[in-house]
Amino acid sequence: MTGSFVEILNSAAFHRPRLPHLPFADFRKQALDIVASGGKVVQFFGYTDGGIDKLLAVLRTDKLLVAGCDAPEVYPSFTSQCEPFHLFEREIAEQFGILPEGHPWLKMVRYHSNCRGRADVFGNDYKEDIPGNYPYYSVTGEEIHEVAVGPVHAGVIEPGHFRFNCIGERVLHLEIQLGYQHRGIETLMQKADPKRLPVIAESIAGDTTVGHGVSMAQAIEALTSVQPDAGAKMIRTIGLELERLANHIGDMGALSGDVAFLPPANYFGRIRGDFLNMTLLICGNRLGKGLVRPGGVRFSIDSEISRTLTERIKELEPQIRHVLDLLLLTPGALARFEGCGAVSHDAAGKLGLVGPAGRASGLSYDARRCFPKEYYAHLNIPQNPKSTGDVFARAKVRADEIMQSIQIIRSLLSRPIETRCVEGSNFDLAPSSFVVTVNEAWRGELSHCVLTDADGRILRYKIKDPSFHNWNGLAMSLRNTGISDFPLNNKSFNLSYCGFDL
Amino acid sequence: MFTTLKNRFEQGCRTSAYPKVPVELASRYRGLPRIVPEASAELAARCAEICPQDAIDPVRRLIDLGRCVFCGTCERISKGAFVSFTRNFELSVAEKDHLLTAGTLPDLAKHSRQHFKRLFGRSLQLRQVSAGGCNGCEVDLNVLATPFFDLARFGINFVASPRHADGIVVTGPVSRNMKQALLDTYEAVPAPKVVIAVGSCAITGGPFRGSPEITEGLDTLLPVDLFIPGCPPHPMTNLHALLKFFK
């Protein structure tokens, strides 16, 4: 052995020459060993450095581990031995034209040509626009039929294509094919004027504006040796928790609507708006755009705003509790939730599910507790009990987290919050450096990686939205489930198309 | 049953009386910007330089609402001496060049196409197409169905099929991969039809301008009747636009 994976700290700059650079065979063996013995993949991606193509992996056990290697043109796939690498290898194949041989599910991810100008691994010609040209898994036999849905859906939602293989009403297999929202964000982050970075990062996924904003800011802060003050960390934490609340509450309403139980759907729809308006009160934008910048936050929470927020939450808290009870104690709703779309603990582990979807299947990981940044190290993030993996479990995890987030915000608002607002950030990045940030956004583990070159320019900006892990969880939940339960399962995951498509 | 009724009483009636009674937004909300014509050329240039969206023309003293994401950076660094954001959420226009403004917009109702009012004034069915954005605009369109805004009371609905629609509402910078589906949806809507561009992405490419994967302006693909700027537009901006333009 000529080296091994080493520990790195969340959001701490790392001098790139010190990154372990292993021979490919060692890199592969060690990565597989770590993940096979319970580790998970946080990031695994390709980049080009001084004309040489390289791979880099960030894995997590109870700590974060990193190592890299030179990228081979063709290599024996990791996925064939260890499932959590599945989508990461497909992404590398698409972005770099590197072939993971023996990959059991080697298909396009987002439909674009690779950055090296090599022949497309999937044989696509991107001179034409060809989304949807996809080798769907298909089931044959008498009475088998396929249902195709999307990319344009019936509601006001993002585009994606769903292909169901059914026997009667029962779904044998669902394949989800995305890429319609691909905007080329990673490339844009590398090429755009640095002053644009925060605005682009906040638009990776609008419902996770604060999550992506914070992840980007932490990376830039690490590379510029800037420390936001305690008040800024508290305000970011409040922003993250308000985002979690608005989305979880919206999801509870949507779940209710999908079992045709309309009172909670409407109440939660309205209450969700109340939380978006709290974010508006702090920063002037309902989604939190413009709140976070490298170096801190742009808006303070003065005593008047703090008082208003506290009062609003005090008024809402009993209402939320009552509506949650109304939904989760109504037999008609429970009959639809319980036992529907179960993802086993084992399957969730192999798919690498994160966030509420993972916790609903008994994967207790929460980045707020395991790799705390911002103000989370000072807070007590409870561990949700082991769960059943069905729609009910995904609803229950959200219901618990709603009440926990309310407590977190209340406790933060009871303390003095003082910060010096920032305007205009420093983008003079440390040269030859590397940083990975890990945060628990409302959908789960969100990670940004930034690599700089010898001149301090961004060499590679890699983004991983939690949905990257979780879409296959939704596909798995539909196995042997009635097709009419698809909307319910879909809402119970509520994944991001744009966060995945980048 | 008892719990259902108890919740019903606790919730009460939440629907806004808008447009009969005006709605006032929080003090930090950034709506229609106003440019101070007397500001120094140096200050104007500095604001234009720092604007992440390059939305400011410092010479003509105009701000492009189609590009602007209403972050308020210019207001902050000029301390309001060049740009200040008002709380006016009435931002929509019928012609793209009206978006280039020093702080006043033409009356939307006067620029509305009169035959649209006649055709759709009492009932307007819209099909939304999300084409490559961040889902932020969708979030604030979706809330129009919640009790506070209750869009349906005006006879306006979002429908499931383009075949049932009088027009399309497009969000996002029309990614390469979504272009064909968008054009097909437009084709599927029976004429006469309306096209509404919501958000800075749909109007100019927004934060993603410069990426080869997107289209910089929906109007380069389809004839746009109504432009609703913002990142995302506040639901009141959307509601105001729909009511003024069609009612």
Side-chain angles (χ1 to χ4, degrees), chain B:
Chain B
M1 193 63 204
F2 180 65
T3 326
T4 313
L5 286 173
K6 214 170 80 182
N7 269 284
R8 183 69 196 85
F9 284 117
E10 186 178 40
Q11 293 291 325
C13 177
R14 301 284 180 163
T15 305
S16 144
Y18 183 85
K20 284 197 189 107
V21 180
V23 167
E24 198 166 301
L25 298 181
S27 66
R28 286 180 179 176
Y29 166 74
R30 291 173 296 281
L32 185 64
R34 185 165 293 151
I35 285 193
V36 181
E38 304 82 38
S40 74
E42 188 259 341
L43 187 61
R46 200 146 61 85
C47 288
E49 175 70 29
I50 205 159
C51 173
Q53 286 298 99
D54 295 323
I56 297 170
D57 182 335
V59 180
R60 293 162 67 203
R61 309 263 161 137
L62 297 172
I63 182 162
D64 183 351
L65 297 187
R67 279 196 165 201
C68 179
V69 291
F70 299 83
C71 65
T73 304
C74 49
E75 181 183 41
R76 289 279 195 104
I77 66 146
S78 72
K79 299 197 169 60
F82 178 57
V83 184
S84 62
F85 284 84
T86 67
R87 278 194 279 165
N88 180 1
F89 56 75
E90 301 177 355
L91 299 169
S92 307
V93 297
E95 309 291 339
K96 196 175 186 183
D97 50 8
H98 291 163
L99 290 168
L100 215 57
T101 180
T104 46
L105 294 174
D107 184 1
L108 182 60
K110 289 202 181 115
H111 285 78
S112 164
R113 293 167 191 42
Q114 291 309 310
H115 69 285
F116 282 164
K117 284 194 192 248
R118 212 173 51 243
L119 279 170
F120 305 130
R122 289 165 62 84
S123 161
L124 176 67
Q125 312 300 315
L126 295 168
R127 173 65 257 202
Q128 201 271 331
V129 185
S130 169
C134 77
N135 198 31
C137 292
E138 290 83 339
V139 164
D140 274 347
L141 282 171
N142 258 322
V143 297
L144 294 177
T146 60
F148 180 83
F149 303 99
D150 192 15
L151 187 64
R153 72 196 148 115
F154 302 107
I156 306 173
N157 291 294
F158 286 98
V159 294
S161 166
R163 297 286 194 211
H164 305 159
D166 304 311
I168 54 172
V169 175
V170 182
T171 54
V174 193
S175 57
R176 249 191 104 175
N177 289 345
M178 199 48 205
K179 194 157 88 190
Q180 193 55 51
L182 168 67
L183 296 176
D184 290 348
T185 309
Y186 174 76
E187 279 304 311
V189 176
K193 49 191 157 188
V194 186
V195 178
I196 304 171
V198 173
S200 72
C201 285
I203 299 172
T204 62
F208 310 109
R209 67 202 161 82
S211 167
E213 298 287 341
I214 61 126
T215 314
E216 293 188 342
L218 176 67
D219 60 319
T220 62
L221 297 173
L222 295 173
V224 179
D225 300 296
L226 178 58
F227 298 85
I228 309 183
C231 186
H234 191 281
M236 288 309 301
T237 306
N238 290 320
L239 188 57
H240 165 264
L242 293 174
L243 296 184
K244 274 283 177 210
F245 196 72
F246 292 105
K247 289 282 159 187

Side-chain angles (χ1 to χ4, degrees), chain A residues 17-31:
Chain A
R18 280 174 47 226
L19 272 179
H21 193 79
L22 315 183
F24 178 76
D26 292 354
F27 174 82
R28 182 174 190 277
K29 181 172 184 316
Q30 290 182 26

Side-chain angles (χ1 to χ4, degrees), chain A residues 81-250:
Chain A
Q81 290 182 31
C82 194
E83 294 88 345
F85 289 97
H86 158 222
L87 254 170
F88 292 97
E89 288 198 302
R90 282 169 61 184
E91 187 185 47
I92 292 168
E94 189 170 72
Q95 293 185 337
F96 282 80
I98 293 168
L99 179 69
E101 223 163 27
H103 190 292
W105 206 257
L106 190 61
K107 305 182 185 195
M108 292 68 99
V109 183
R110 307 184 179 107
Y111 299 92
H112 59 80
S113 49
N114 63 65
C115 66
R116 299 195 302 159
R118 299 294 167 96
D120 186 65
V121 166
F122 313 99
N124 289 331
D125 175 7
Y126 286 106
K127 285 192 207 91
E128 304 280 320
D129 298 342
I130 52 150
N133 175 17
Y134 188 89
Y136 290 98
Y137 182 80
S138 82
V139 181
T140 51
E142 228 174 301
E143 296 180 38
I144 297 286
H145 64 103
E146 285 191 4
V147 180
V149 181
V152 180
H153 296 287
V156 183
I157 51 170
E158 298 178 77
H161 185 86
F162 300 88
R163 186 70 62 93
F164 300 87
N165 282 285
C166 304
I167 180 158
E169 292 281 299
R170 192 154 57 92
V171 177
L172 295 174
H173 176 76
L174 160 62
E175 193 154 358
I176 300 165
Q177 177 246 321
L178 302 172
Y180 294 96
Q181 300 273 71
H182 181 58
R183 292 147 288 168
I185 293 182
E186 288 180 354
T187 319
L188 199 57
M189 293 291 270
Q190 283 152 217
K191 291 187 177 153
D193 185 332
K195 72 177 180 180
R196 293 178 58 192
L197 293 188
V199 173
I200 301 171
E202 287 178 334
S203 302
I204 294 167
D207 52 25
T208 317
T209 293
V210 184
H212 279 288
V214 166
S215 299
M216 181 275 315
Q218 289 168 349
I220 300 299
E221 284 156 7
L223 295 174
T224 50
S225 304
V226 171
Q227 264 289 334
D229 57 39
K233 289 181 180 177
M234 291 166 86
I235 293 170
R236 287 177 179 186
T237 306
I238 291 171
L240 286 165
E241 295 305 321
L242 283 175
E243 189 164 86
R244 194 178 323 277
L245 276 165
N247 284 299
H248 279 2
I249 286 173

Side-chain angles (χ1 to χ4, degrees), chain A residues 46-68:
Chain A
Y47 65 102
T48 306
D49 180 18
I52 300 165
D53 301 311
K54 296 177 179 173
L55 298 175
L56 193 126
V58 180
L59 309 174
R60 73 172 151 86
T61 53
D62 54 347
K63 37 189 196 241
L64 295 170
L65 302 167
V66 64

